[in-house]
Amino acid sequence: MTSMLRRWALPVLAATISFNAAAADYPVKPITLVIGFTAGGPTDAVGRYLARKLETELGQTIVVENRPGANGVVAVQAVKRAAADGYTLMLGSSGTLSIEPVYKQKVDYQVLKDFQPIALVASYPYLLVVPADSPFKTVPELIAGARQKPGALTFASAGSGAVNHLAGEWFKSASKVDITHIPYKGDSAAIADLVAGRVDMAFLSAIAAMPQVQAGKMRALGVAAAEPSSVAPGVPTVAESAGIPGFTAEPWNGVLAPAGVPPAVTQRLNAAINKVMSTEESREALLKLGQYPMTGSPEDFARHISTQTERWAQVMQTSHIAKAD
């Protein structure tokens, strides 16, 4: 019996030693970073910046692969099926990780079961914007106008279940106004109609909104952050202007790997990402993208996913947003 156990144990031990040795040498070949959105958006912008910096830090090529579709779910499904060796990573988003699992009745993934959180990367506050020729110059004026004509005003979003959809619903519920939701397939189409005045307001990322604001095509009424932000100088918070305590809508991104990735690889990647995101150069570069760097341990990231999921589930409940099929 003892000899039989030895025959079983030796191959397992050898495989474990080989696995740990591979983790210790990581990375020895190019790494693929999958992004669930099209090129040019805020998630893609920060992902490509991170990839460039990680190439220097890790000494390997980082291949960025855009796999857009279903608010990032297409990318989730692809990375979930990948080998748990650290060579396929995903830059996940708040919408994909903390909203889709509670907004949709059925998704075929459980974030903290199917993935290993590696590190938080960045966040960015939404701006509440209106067309340049809008009669509303402040958040209180917008709320007053909405109350005068219930259901007449409209707000655009990147689609049902997107963070800026839920931000709009939260704003409606908390300020007790009736504003009609107009979903688009992404922010680009929403921006075109907002500039043209075909919709009345939207919550948009600074990287999307500020060029339009600076060009005189939009007006920023508020920033959906806990405090005024340098991404939109001089713009007050929506929370203070609207009298909605705690109103924040700040999408975020973080790197994950398929569940089962070796702990040594997780720690190697976490240290590298934190080092990149901790520099003054990164802070300045991300500020130009309307974003802020984030750092923390894998455990910090896991807790962030959990608390954000609970927070948006509560928003959906209090705003009476029905879950999608």
Side-chain angles (χ1 to χ4, degrees), residues 242-263:
I244 306 174
F247 185 92
T248 57
E250 299 177 280
W252 44 267
N253 297 112
V255 174
L256 303 95
V261 67

Side-chain angles (χ1 to χ4, degrees), residues 64-321:
V64 174
E65 180 181 321
N66 293 91
R67 297 285 295 268
N71 195 26
V73 173
V74 170
V76 168
Q77 293 167 334
V79 177
K80 177 183 172 182
R81 295 190 298 267
D85 55 8
Y87 291 99
T88 302
L89 307 174
M90 174 177 67
L91 185 63
S93 71
S94 48
T96 309
L97 304 178
S98 287
I99 292 178
E100 286 295 313
V102 291
Y103 179 70
K104 294 288 180 68
Q105 291 284 3
K106 296 179 181 179
V107 292
D108 61 353
Y109 60 93
Q110 297 179 49
V111 177
L112 297 181
K113 177 183 177 182
D114 296 325
F115 296 93
Q116 170 60 56
I118 302 293
L120 283 159
V121 173
S123 69
Y124 55 96
Y126 275 132
L127 302 181
L128 172 53
V129 293
V130 297
D133 60 357
S134 170
F136 310 119
K137 294 181 171 57
T138 66
V139 175
E141 287 181 6
L142 174 62
I143 292 173
R147 287 175 179 168
Q148 288 175 0
K149 298 180 179 180
L153 297 185
T154 56
F155 79 93
S157 81
S160 295
V163 179
N164 54 357
H165 168 214
L166 299 191
E169 297 290 352
W170 185 5
F171 179 80
K172 286 172 53 179
S173 175
S175 57
K176 296 179 174 58
V177 295
D178 182 9
I179 303 174
T180 302
H181 175 222
I182 308 295
Y184 288 81
K185 293 183 178 179
D187 283 333
S188 297
I191 289 170
D193 276 5
L194 191 67
V195 167
R198 288 187 282 269
V199 286
D200 298 297
M201 60 167 276
F203 285 93
L204 297 174
S205 67
I207 192 174
M210 285 307 292
Q212 304 294 336
V213 172
Q214 292 164 350
K217 296 179 180 179
M218 286 185 192
R219 181 184 302 127
L221 303 187
V223 57
E227 57 188 32
S229 172
S230 54
V231 304
V235 179
T237 67
V238 175
E240 181 179 8
S241 299
I244 306 174
F247 185 92
T248 57
E250 299 177 280
W252 44 267
N253 297 112
V255 174
L256 303 95
V261 67
V265 171
T266 296
Q267 293 303 322
R268 174 80 171 101
L269 286 167
N270 177 264
I273 293 168
N274 282 340
K275 184 175 180 181
V276 168
M277 290 293 110
S278 296
T279 66
E280 181 64 20
E281 177 188 351
S282 289
R283 192 193 72 80
E284 293 178 357
L286 264 65
L287 187 59
K288 293 177 182 177
L289 299 175
Q291 304 196 40
Y292 294 102
M294 300 179 77
T295 56
S297 67
E299 293 75 21
D300 291 332
F301 187 14
R303 282 191 293 270
H304 190 70
I305 292 170
S306 294
T307 56
Q308 287 282 298
T309 301
E310 293 169 5
R311 186 266 196 93
W312 287 115
Q314 182 64 33
V315 167
M316 281 185 258
Q317 181 179 353
T318 57
S319 301
H320 306 291
I321 302 172

